[in-house]
Amino acid sequence: DFEKELLTSVVREAKRVFTTLENTPPSIMLNLSPDAPFGSDQMIVSQIEQLLISIRRRGDSISTKQRTMAPKLRQNYKKITLDVLNILENSMGEKLTLKDISRRLNISVSLLKQVFRKETGKSIIDYLIDIRVGEAKRLISEGIMNFTEIAEHLGYGNIYYFSRAFKAKTGMTPTEYAQSVEKTEF
């Protein structure tokens, strides 16, 4: 509230004190009004300094709080990340959304995404795709399931989406990967 009052006071004083020149954008050229009250420009400078000091002090108190909370937050972030990894591993074949995961963990989607990226360096979706592609490689190597069955088993809506995701992560299609695995087995 104090900062809002200072800012309001600065704007109010500036409207009384400054005029703009003709044919000049107001953001470039301001002139002191001839009928401006004495010391108005100094008052504006003083109020801006107070505002900046107040903002800085508030920032210092926030960062102090963050430092004392940091170990607890890191612990919570690690727990959230481990919970997400557990959900991803155990829900590989399900159609899973970020909303579903956030509901299970009782946190917002934005916090979920922020925490996971901070802890792993990846988005949840990228991590899920990595897990699915790793599992797909294993299943392709075993040769028990065809590509459509693998796509369904891993929760992909169709073979085309699965193939596109596989190629994006590995640089080859599932068929090319299967052929490369066959060549290395001999």
Side-chain angles (χ1 to χ4, degrees), residues 92-105:
M92 186 140 2
E94 296 177 29
K95 289 185 179 181
L96 202 57
T97 65
L98 293 175
K99 235 181 204 177
D100 296 333
I101 297 170
S102 71
R103 275 192 214 120
R104 288 185 193 182
L105 299 178

Side-chain angles (χ1 to χ4, degrees), residues 64-98:
T64 302
K65 287 177 189 173
Q66 286 174 340
R67 278 194 299 273
T68 58
M69 291 176 59
K72 292 177 188 173
L73 282 175
R74 263 187 253 116
Q75 264 185 329
N76 287 341
Y77 283 10
K78 287 183 191 308
K79 182 179 178 344
I80 290 169
T81 303
L82 289 173
D83 289 345
V84 171
L85 293 173
N86 190 31
I87 290 169
L88 295 177
E89 291 285 340
N90 294 322
S91 307
M92 186 140 2
E94 296 177 29
K95 289 185 179 181
L96 202 57
T97 65
L98 293 175

Side-chain angles (χ1 to χ4, degrees), residues 13-20 30-33 36 40-41 44:
E13 192 72 21
K15 284 181 180 177
R16 292 176 45 205
V17 173
F18 295 108
T19 60
T20 58
L30 293 174
N31 277 345
L32 199 56
S33 174
S40 296
D41 50 342
I44 292 172

Side-chain angles (χ1 to χ4, degrees), residues 21-159:
L21 291 175
E22 294 290 322
N23 301 322
T24 312
S27 62
I28 295 173
M29 202 62 161
L30 293 174
N31 277 345
L32 199 56
S33 174
D35 55 338
F38 172 76
S40 296
D41 50 342
Q42 287 93 353
M43 263 181 76
I44 292 172
V45 169
S46 172
Q47 290 169 337
I48 290 174
E49 286 174 348
Q50 283 182 325
L51 178 64
L52 293 174
I53 290 168
S54 177
I55 290 170
R56 174 60 198 258
R57 283 182 177 173
R58 185 170 39 88
D60 285 349
S61 68
I62 290 171
S63 64
T64 302
K65 287 177 189 173
Q66 286 174 340
R67 278 194 299 273
T68 58
M69 291 176 59
K72 292 177 188 173
L73 282 175
R74 263 187 253 116
Q75 264 185 329
N76 287 341
Y77 283 10
K78 287 183 191 308
K79 182 179 178 344
I80 290 169
T81 303
L82 289 173
D83 289 345
V84 171
L85 293 173
N86 190 31
I87 290 169
L88 295 177
E89 291 285 340
N90 294 322
S91 307
M92 186 140 2
E94 296 177 29
K95 289 185 179 181
L96 202 57
T97 65
L98 293 175
K99 235 181 204 177
D100 296 333
I101 297 170
S102 71
R103 275 192 214 120
R104 288 185 193 182
L105 299 178
N106 199 29
I107 60 172
S108 71
V109 172
S110 61
L111 179 61
L112 174 70
K113 291 175 7 180
Q114 175 188 350
V115 167
F116 194 85
R117 183 172 294 276
K118 186 172 188 154
E119 291 295 310
T120 66
K122 290 184 174 187
S123 73
I124 294 172
I125 301 302
D126 280 345
Y127 200 90
L128 178 61
I129 292 170
D130 286 347
I131 292 171
R132 286 179 172 175
V133 168
E135 181 67 6
K137 286 179 173 181
R138 187 184 68 75
L139 293 170
I140 291 170
S141 298
E142 289 176 357
I144 299 170
M145 298 176 156
N146 66 35
F147 298 141
T148 304
E149 291 169 334
I150 292 172
E152 288 174 7
H153 175 73
L154 296 177
Y156 287 98
N158 60 55
I159 185 74

